[in-house]
Amino acid sequence: MSLPLEGLSAIVTGAGRGLGRAEALELARLGAAVVVNDYGRPGRDGSGEASAGPAEEVAAEIRAAGGEALAHTGDVSDHQQAAALVESAVNEFGKLDILVNNAGILRDRMVFSMSEGEWDSVIRVHLKGHFNTIRHAAAHWRERFKAGQEGREALPRKGGGGRRAGGPVYGRIVNTSSEAFLAGSAGQPNYAAAKGGIVGLTTSTALALAKYGVTANAICPRARTRMTEDVFAGLERPADGLDPLAPEHVAPLVGYLAAPVAARINGQLFVVHGGMVAIVERPRVQAKFDSKQETFTYDELDALLTAHYADRPPGETFAAAEVLGLKRD
């Protein structure tokens, strides 16, 4: 019996540790050949010397288990290095089928104290990093579509062959957003903004690439990793059994979204952790007001909107803080 991802190749960014590592191992377990990408800097703020160690270790772990893996240490926030990452998958495995964007850093600060550099660096790694890899993967899939290649068919290594007229390619994108975007994390304006931008990028990409056979979805994972060690410092790991905050709770959803059975799932946002998956509903219109004349006046808006908000909870915003209370029943 064949594995769900057999004959497919994948890229996982930030795969040297934590969530990315668990996702890369899961994709490999399901049969995919994996490019393990990690820039390898030790600090969660992106500080320290880059190292090939984390990516090489995970790639070696996949190969030791009988899978196929290639380590890549490029910086996804660099446009050309992201292009080289996609090219490495195509050169090594003949094509790219799955892109999982997970790389990220943290530089937390209240908005009134945040420096320009702290803002720019987080936006660059998270949001621009997602764009960079998607841009080059999307170009690859579009070219394959135009060439009439059949995406599900495993192509010979180093490309070539396997062409037929018509038919979509096989493409899956799984992006990583965060509950910080949904709940409006007060001490993370850069991170929350980047993660919100990733959702917008995901839905735009989903619509743009659907005709080529490509899906794009986003997840908001909660897990105990290097980036969240202080957040969950007070929550003890269970003496026996799987930690509810283990990255291994997140990886199966990524594997599922990368598989053929998820072909109808596109442009969606999931919250996932601790044996639970929640589908986040798209925003709905809460109320609508029409002017009695051609356009609103100040007094008319005052009469309508001030009255509307008078009875609403004072701390209520567009943020959905209730997601933080989600747990497995």
Side-chain angles (χ1 to χ4, degrees):
M1 183 176 179
S2 63
L3 296 170
L5 304 183
E6 188 174 334
L8 302 176
S9 68
I11 288 172
V12 183
T13 71
R17 306 176 179 92
L19 278 169
R21 173 184 175 275
E23 292 162 353
L25 293 175
E26 177 68 5
L27 294 181
R29 188 187 70 81
L30 294 175
V34 183
V35 178
V36 179
N37 166 262
D38 200 290
Y39 198 33
R41 283 184 167 171
R44 70 174 187 172
D45 61 353
S47 63
E49 292 296 323
S51 169
E56 293 283 5
E57 289 171 12
V58 176
E61 188 173 354
I62 290 173
R63 290 192 293 264
E68 294 184 81
L70 171 71
H72 186 278
T73 57
D75 177 4
V76 295
S77 70
D78 182 285
H79 197 66
Q80 294 306 314
Q81 291 185 51
L85 171 60
V86 172
E87 186 177 354
S88 71
V90 176
N91 288 341
E92 183 71 15
F93 303 122
K95 58 184 172 56
L96 173 65
D97 303 292
I98 301 160
L99 171 63
V100 179
N101 282 308
N102 174 75
I105 63 171
L106 287 180
R107 293 190 179 178
D108 295 350
R109 193 88 62 185
M110 297 298 288
V111 68
F112 44 76
S113 301
M114 181 165 287
S115 70
E116 182 181 14
E118 288 166 336
W119 172 271
D120 287 348
S121 61
V122 169
I123 297 297
R124 184 182 70 251
V125 175
H126 286 275
L127 185 52
K128 186 182 178 185
H130 272 62
F131 162 73
N132 285 343
T133 57
I134 289 172
R135 189 268 182 233
H136 296 297
H140 167 68
W141 287 321
R142 183 171 179 265
E143 288 304 310
R144 278 173 53 192
F145 180 87
K146 290 167 61 178
Q149 293 184 346
E150 182 178 6
R152 185 68 179 102
E153 180 183 341
L155 299 179
R157 295 195 182 277
K158 308 303 179 186
R163 298 171 182 266
R164 72 177 176 87
V169 301
Y170 187 99
R172 298 284 188 272
I173 299 170
V174 182
N175 291 330
T176 304
S177 183
S178 170
E179 290 172 288
F181 142 69
L182 290 168
S185 183
Q188 297 179 304
N190 49 3
Y191 183 73
K195 292 305 189 182
I198 286 167
V199 174
L201 174 62
T202 301
T203 54
S204 175
T205 301
L207 292 174
L209 300 186
K211 67 180 180 180
Y212 301 116
V214 178
T215 66
N217 295 287
I219 62 171
C220 294
R222 188 187 303 175
R224 194 191 305 270
T225 68
R226 181 180 52 146
M227 289 181 63
T228 61
E229 56 190 0
D230 57 338
V231 177
F232 301 126
L235 299 176
E236 294 184 4
R237 301 173 189 265
D240 54 357
L242 186 62
D243 182 358
L245 293 171
E248 287 74 18
H249 284 296
V250 176
L253 177 61
V254 174
Y256 168 77
L257 292 173
V261 292
R264 290 178 57 84
I265 303 175
N266 193 27
Q268 302 298 309
L269 178 64
F270 299 88
V271 174
V272 53
H273 56 80
M276 180 218 75
V277 172
I279 303 170
V280 179
E281 187 176 20
R282 65 182 183 272
R284 293 183 295 174
V285 176
Q286 178 198 98
K288 175 179 176 292
F289 303 97
D290 295 311
S291 175
K292 293 182 179 179
Q293 53 275 332
E294 185 175 356
T295 189
F296 277 107
T297 64
Y298 171 89
D299 290 338
E300 190 177 18
L301 288 170
D302 178 26
L304 292 170
L305 296 182
T306 304
H308 175 75
Y309 282 103
D311 297 327
R312 302 196 69 82
E316 182 184 77
T317 70
F318 187 77
E322 61 270 20
V323 299
L324 300 179
L326 289 173
K327 63 180 181 178
R328 183 179 182 180
D329 294 330

